[in-house]
Amino acid sequence: QSNTMANELDGPLPDDDDTNHTTTTSNVNDTMHSYPIPQPLSELLTQAHHNSSSCLLDSIPHCVEELVGNAFHALDAMFFSTPGSVRTSCPAFMARMVVRVELKNDGNSAQLSITDLGVGMTRADLINVFGVGSVKQQMKGGVVEANCSSQNIGGFYAAFCALAKRCVISTKSKFDEYYQFEISGPEFENFSISKPLAKEGQLPLPDVGFDRFSDVRGESGTRIVFDLNEVAREAFPDEAALRKVMEHIFETSQYNVIFSEDEDAFEVVAKDSDMVQQLAKSLINDPSSMEDYALEDQCVSENEIPVEVLERSKYIPIRLSLAERKMLRLVDAAMHCCDYTNIVDVPFKSKAKRMHAMFRGISAILTGTVVACDYESGQKLSKDKAEYSDFEKFYQQLFEITRRHKIMNPEKMRTEYGKFIHFLQDAIAHTDELEINVVKPIETVYKFLEERNGTDLLRDPQIVIATSEVLATKGKSRAQINAEIKRKERAVNLLKLKYKSTGLTPDDIHMCLYSICDNDSFLNSNRVPIDIIIGYLKEYFKPNVIEDNFSLSIVSGKNGSRLSHSHERQYYFALQSLTLWRDIIHEMFYLWHLAEEDLLSETVGYELKDTGQGMQRVQPAPRTYRAMQGVLRSVQHKVNQWVGSSVIHMGDHNVPNALVFIDKYTQVPHILSPIVRCIENVEKLCEENEGIDNFIRASYGDVENLKKTILYDFFRSAFDGSGAENFYDAGSCIDGRLTSAWNWCSLLPTKPYYTIFKLTGFIGFDGEFK
């Protein structure tokens, strides 16, 4: 097999190097796939092969120029994707920015090889670019005319028609394996693609047989080998004749050309391996480079096992597929049009009547979802010819998809999710009567990988890079952002290549990685407003410095406050409250997981009570409560001192159940984001509108004073224990801190700076309920 591969590569010109090129027989993959060539292109190539004089051929030099142009494009892409500091400081990089040309002509046959170490091509590129091609058919005298000009079929196939009768393209992309593409006559019905290296991720280097001058070596590059036809052989009897054409082409290029007959040509082979390693180290050591060219040299060391990612993956839901999204829309629509909670959670004269209304509502939902998916099965179910238990797996999957979607998108299905959870609570509480269990565990990333023996993926240090969100933060250039994106894409592709198996496809790995990335995106978007507000507190106020008119001190009974704090004590009270909210958001997926376990518990039920906020389902949440205690202890350890109460309300009239708890804390970013937008946009507003600038200067002195006034009022009034009728319901307890912030939001229209909020685009704190 290895000798056959060598002959395919080098055609009828074997030499003493053939045995060296094929010494690693075990690395050769004998898998070769053949694909049909589109008929117009096939017919044109066949006609050109049999009778080249009938084709409108470009000039020989022009065709060589088109061929070399492909190498220039590949080198350009590599050049501009590499950080400038590496291009100037690493000799190995510029040493690879050359085109290597080799011509062998024994009079009877000839081969032309053109090699570049640019970006290379993936398998998909080979198929889409060279396997498909494009032909513009032209009519002359009612007959289709064969036109092999570059304007008609592109530069590559124009050169192929003019110069060759057979072509082998060997290529390696950083994001794919090493592949070979072959197309040959006389009929040109098919092209083939093979993968010579059997080992996944193996690089073509001299130690595995790639020791010829024209071979592709390293992480990327392309070699085009043409078996020249008679016309080309006569035009290029030796490299000297070819050199004249090449020198003219390279006159206007920033790149150099080296021929196999040059004195230093064979030193290239010995230097290539060292250059690959030197380039990788330069990219790693370069502080401006966010892209790594060698997997083992990435900035995350093997000793830094991503424990946090592994643990978080146990609570991160897997992304929904297209089919699952269709099922989600069914539940969303069903919950949108039903009034289950309004019918069931009202006072009844007897428990039996409520039970009757409950079962009617549950049956309507269960039957309706089946009818929507399968009318015949729904008919049987509605006529008591089928049991709910016959569709248990269907219900479990349907409702698990809905719960998974809601955890990943807390801002979605807000009204519908409440009704949905209440429906599931009642269905779980009456499992025996319904003879069906409609709930199953959430499909998480860890669970998905564990079922497919792929949890090693979560322990790979590269997962930190592959699942981090690329943020366009202030001060970051477009080049840095692009480099981070490329670095992330590279890590994703490397992990897909490394961990794919019969049970775990690359698409599965891709879905898992981006599910974790979704979680990272959620954390960034929801924690960032809190971090910014904390930054404002530290920037504009100091605990031991009191400025005139900006003292944070509050007195109970004055301006609605229920607490009395000095300036320093209020500063730390606001700081620790914001820190607590930030840590709760950080653990939101974990807390949501526990909250659903408490809500859908088969052992701990709820009691319908009037809590002063209407009829509520009061239910203990022991798992969520214990987790919240852990978060609270962590925050208390961070801030070193704790101001106020440590009482956590859960399962009482303040926070009736875990659903209310989750809903309360998902609102924190909605409360803080409008404040951040106002502070950030007010300067731009003044620059764009002179009238507004004059208004602010007349009312507040300057923009900075306006910002400080808004923040001063927020840090005092949003953390003053207000918002309820008694100290126990508001005050300084964990839940009361958020109640005070809500109260400040409700009073915003009465504030003198409310106009500024409106001018900077403020609409409301809650946004769309949908």
Side-chain angles (χ1 to χ4, degrees):
Q1 172 64 35
S2 61
N3 290 331
T4 302
M5 188 62 67
N7 291 334
E8 288 176 353
L9 282 171
D10 301 310
L13 292 168
D15 57 24
D16 295 337
D17 294 334
D18 282 351
T19 54
N20 294 332
H21 189 74
T22 58
T23 52
T24 54
T25 306
S26 61
N27 286 333
V28 177
N29 188 344
D30 59 359
T31 302
M32 181 179 291
H33 297 281
S34 182
Y35 303 90
I37 300 174
Q39 186 176 4
L41 180 61
S42 174
E43 291 177 351
L44 189 149
L45 295 177
T46 302
Q47 187 173 355
H49 177 76
H50 289 293
N51 186 11
S52 58
S53 62
S54 66
C55 298
L56 302 177
L57 300 176
D58 291 341
S59 67
I60 297 295
H62 179 68
C63 288
V64 174
E65 185 176 356
E66 292 282 0
L67 200 60
V68 174
N70 292 332
F72 288 166
H73 288 309
L75 292 174
D76 284 343
M78 176 65 78
F79 185 88
F80 291 109
S81 65
T82 303
S85 55
V86 174
R87 296 199 299 262
T88 56
S89 64
C90 181
F93 176 78
M94 293 310 300
R96 289 172 64 87
M97 293 289 101
V98 298
V99 177
R100 304 174 186 184
V101 178
E102 183 177 34
L103 177 65
K104 295 181 180 180
N105 192 339
D106 62 2
N108 297 321
S109 59
Q111 274 190 347
L112 172 63
S113 300
I114 298 179
T115 306
D116 69 78
L117 299 180
V119 292
M121 291 179 285
T122 64
R123 183 175 181 275
D125 292 335
L126 288 173
I127 295 173
N128 294 330
V129 176
F130 297 110
V132 177
S134 61
V135 177
K136 299 176 182 178
Q137 293 185 340
Q138 297 182 5
M139 301 293 292
K140 188 173 183 180
V143 179
V144 177
E145 182 181 54
N147 185 349
C148 292
S149 65
S150 58
Q151 291 85 357
N152 184 49
I153 61 173
F156 171 78
Y157 275 116
F160 182 76
C161 289
L163 302 175
K165 54 187 178 181
R166 174 175 167 270
C167 173
V168 176
I169 301 175
S170 306
T171 187
K172 171 73 175 73
S173 168
K174 291 183 296 179
F175 308 114
D176 209 340
E177 301 292 329
Y178 179 82
Y179 289 102
Q180 286 180 347
F181 168 97
E182 180 179 350
I183 182 170
S184 60
E187 300 302 328
F188 295 96
E189 294 179 350
N190 300 287
F191 66 89
S192 63
I193 295 180
S194 60
K195 189 170 71 169
L197 296 175
K199 187 176 179 181
E200 296 288 348
Q202 188 174 19
L203 298 181
L205 293 171
D207 57 355
V208 292
F210 291 81
D211 53 2
R212 294 184 173 218
F213 168 76
S214 62
D215 282 339
V216 171
R217 278 179 290 276
E219 287 209 337
S220 62
T222 301
R223 179 180 73 164
I224 297 178
V225 180
F226 273 4
D227 280 357
L228 300 182
N229 57 27
E230 294 181 3
V231 176
R233 289 204 304 270
E234 292 176 2
F236 302 125
D238 51 31
E239 280 193 1
L242 181 62
R243 188 185 295 268
K244 294 179 180 179
V245 177
M246 288 293 185
E247 288 176 351
H248 176 73
I249 295 172
F250 278 83
E251 281 180 354
T252 57
S253 171
Q254 63 172 320
Y255 306 114
N256 296 321
V257 59
I258 182 171
F259 292 86
S260 62
E261 294 180 355
D262 291 346
E263 293 181 0
D264 57 348
F266 289 96
E267 296 180 8
V268 171
V269 178
K271 292 180 179 178
D272 270 349
S273 296
D274 294 336
M275 286 195 296
V276 170
Q277 296 178 4
Q278 184 184 348
L279 178 59
K281 290 179 180 178
S282 296
L283 286 161
I284 295 304
N285 296 329
D286 176 53
S288 66
S289 172
M290 299 302 294
E291 181 178 6
D292 302 328
Y293 278 68
L295 174 62
E296 62 274 13
D297 288 335
Q298 297 258 4
C299 63
V300 183
S301 68
E302 292 289 342
N303 296 326
E304 297 178 15
I305 304 298
V307 178
E308 184 181 357
V309 176
L310 177 64
E311 289 302 314
R312 282 197 295 127
S313 68
K314 297 178 181 179
Y315 310 103
I316 297 175
I318 203 80
R319 270 186 174 185
L320 269 62
S321 66
L322 181 61
E324 288 175 333
R325 291 186 182 279
K326 292 180 180 180
M327 299 178 73
L328 168 69
R329 287 196 291 270
L330 171 61
V331 180
D332 189 14
M335 291 296 119
H336 182 72
C337 66
C338 83
D339 292 320
Y340 181 80
T341 302
N342 292 337
I343 294 173
V344 172
D345 288 1
V346 294
F348 281 86
K349 292 183 179 180
S350 66
K351 185 178 179 181
K353 289 187 176 181
R354 184 171 185 268
M355 288 281 290
H356 176 71
M358 185 187 301
F359 280 123
R360 286 188 62 185
I362 294 173
S363 298
I365 294 171
L366 294 179
T367 304
T369 51
V370 173
V371 171
C373 292
D374 187 341
Y375 182 74
E376 292 184 2
S377 298
Q379 286 290 90
K380 293 178 181 179
L381 194 60
S382 62
K383 295 179 180 179
D384 297 330
K385 295 182 179 179
E387 301 293 336
Y388 291 128
S389 57
D390 297 337
F391 305 95
E392 184 173 69
K393 290 185 178 180
F394 165 75
Y395 289 131
Q396 289 179 349
Q397 181 184 10
L398 186 68
F399 300 144
E400 184 273 335
I401 290 169
T402 307
R403 292 159 54 211
R404 185 167 14 127
H405 171 75
K406 176 60 179 178
I407 295 174
M408 297 173 70
N409 303 274
E411 74 281 1
K412 304 291 185 181
M413 294 182 64
R414 291 186 53 188
T415 303
E416 289 78 7
Y417 181 72
K419 292 185 284 186
F420 174 69
I421 285 295
H422 291 164
F423 152 71
L424 290 182
Q425 278 185 308
D426 294 337
I428 286 291
H430 300 91
T431 298
D432 295 337
E433 292 86 343
L434 295 170
E435 298 181 348
I436 181 178
N437 184 356
V438 297
V439 173
K440 73 171 187 176
I442 291 290
E443 190 76 14
T444 63
V445 171
Y446 185 88
K447 180 173 177 284
F448 182 88
L449 291 172
E450 187 178 36
E451 292 172 351
R452 292 159 178 81
N453 299 318
T455 53
D456 286 344
L457 168 68
L458 299 171
R459 298 180 177 87
D460 194 303
Q462 294 301 312
I463 200 169
V464 177
I465 300 170
T467 59
S468 298
E469 184 185 19
V470 178
L471 298 174
T473 54
K474 288 184 178 179
K476 187 181 292 186
S477 66
R478 168 52 57 183
Q480 287 177 302
I481 295 172
N482 290 338
E484 287 186 25
I485 293 171
K486 291 178 182 178
R487 183 191 188 202
K488 177 178 177 177
E489 290 174 348
R490 173 174 171 75
V492 169
N493 282 285
L494 289 170
L495 289 173
K496 287 161 70 173
L497 285 173
K498 185 176 181 180
Y499 292 101
K500 68 180 181 180
S501 63
T502 54
L504 190 64
T505 67
D507 287 342
D508 291 337
I509 296 173
H510 186 93
M511 181 172 62
C512 290
L513 293 176
Y514 277 86
S515 296
I516 299 174
C517 188
D518 289 342
N519 173 250
D520 193 60
S521 177
F522 166 82
L523 294 178
N524 286 327
S525 61
N526 286 271
R527 287 182 315 196
V528 165
I530 307 176
D531 290 333
I532 293 175
I533 291 294
I534 292 175
Y536 287 153
L537 176 62
K538 294 179 178 180
E539 177 184 353
Y540 286 94
F541 303 94
K542 305 297 179 185
N544 54 355
V545 177
I546 303 176
E547 298 183 33
D548 292 341
N549 301 320
F550 290 107
S551 172
L552 297 179
S553 60
I554 55 177
V555 178
S556 178
K558 187 177 180 180
N559 298 324
S561 174
R562 290 187 177 276
L563 302 174
S564 294
H565 286 162
S566 64
H567 171 84
E568 180 181 8
R569 190 172 178 82
Q570 179 67 6
Y571 176 91
Y572 285 115
F573 183 70
L575 177 61
Q576 69 187 21
S577 299
L578 291 166
T579 305
L580 176 65
W581 295 350
R582 184 192 186 280
D583 283 21
I584 291 174
I585 294 296
H586 181 77
E587 300 294 340
M588 181 55 69
F589 278 27
Y590 171 60
L591 292 170
W592 204 311
H593 178 84
L594 298 178
E596 282 206 346
E597 287 188 358
D598 287 328
L599 288 166
L600 305 179
S601 171
E602 296 181 10
T603 56
V604 180
Y606 68 85
E607 183 180 359
L608 194 64
K609 285 185 177 180
D610 186 352
T611 62
Q613 304 175 53
M615 300 297 290
Q616 300 285 342
R617 298 189 176 201
V618 180
Q619 181 186 28
R623 300 176 183 84
T624 312
Y625 181 78
R626 283 194 295 270
M628 269 298 297
Q629 284 184 318
V631 173
L632 178 59
R633 284 194 296 270
S634 175
V635 173
Q636 289 173 334
H637 179 73
K638 288 179 183 178
V639 299
N640 295 323
Q641 58 176 316
W642 190 254
V643 178
S645 171
S646 298
V647 174
I648 300 173
H649 291 287
M650 193 86 69
D652 58 15
H653 71 280
N654 286 291
V655 185
N657 51 57
L659 176 63
V660 176
F661 163 80
I662 288 294
D663 186 60
K664 284 171 72 77
Y665 284 98
T666 53
Q667 302 312 305
V668 171
H670 294 279
I671 293 173
L672 301 182
S673 292
I675 303 172
V676 172
R677 284 196 294 270
C678 179
I679 298 297
E680 288 182 344
N681 294 332
V682 66
E683 284 189 17
K684 183 179 179 181
L685 188 67
C686 291
E687 293 174 359
E688 294 176 349
N689 192 305
E690 185 178 353
I692 294 176
D693 183 46
N694 293 333
F695 166 72
I696 290 175
R697 291 183 183 279
S699 302
Y700 299 96
D702 55 29
V703 172
E704 285 300 310
N705 199 59
L706 168 62
K707 292 180 181 179
K708 197 165 187 176
T709 300
I710 295 173
L711 294 170
Y712 161 73
D713 183 64
F714 175 73
F715 291 132
R716 288 182 75 252
S717 303
F719 301 92
D720 62 358
S722 61
E725 295 180 355
N726 57 71
F727 182 84
Y728 180 76
D729 290 345
S732 63
C733 65
I734 303 305
D735 177 66
R737 299 163 193 252
L738 192 52
T739 303
S740 301
W742 272 348
N743 186 59
W744 178 87
C745 292
S746 67
L747 296 175
L748 180 62
T750 66
K751 305 290 183 180
Y753 50 78
Y754 179 65
T755 304
I756 306 300
F757 270 75
K758 298 294 287 185
L759 289 172
T760 54
F762 174 75
I763 298 175
F765 288 100
D766 205 31
E768 295 182 4
F769 263 85
K770 187 64 177 174

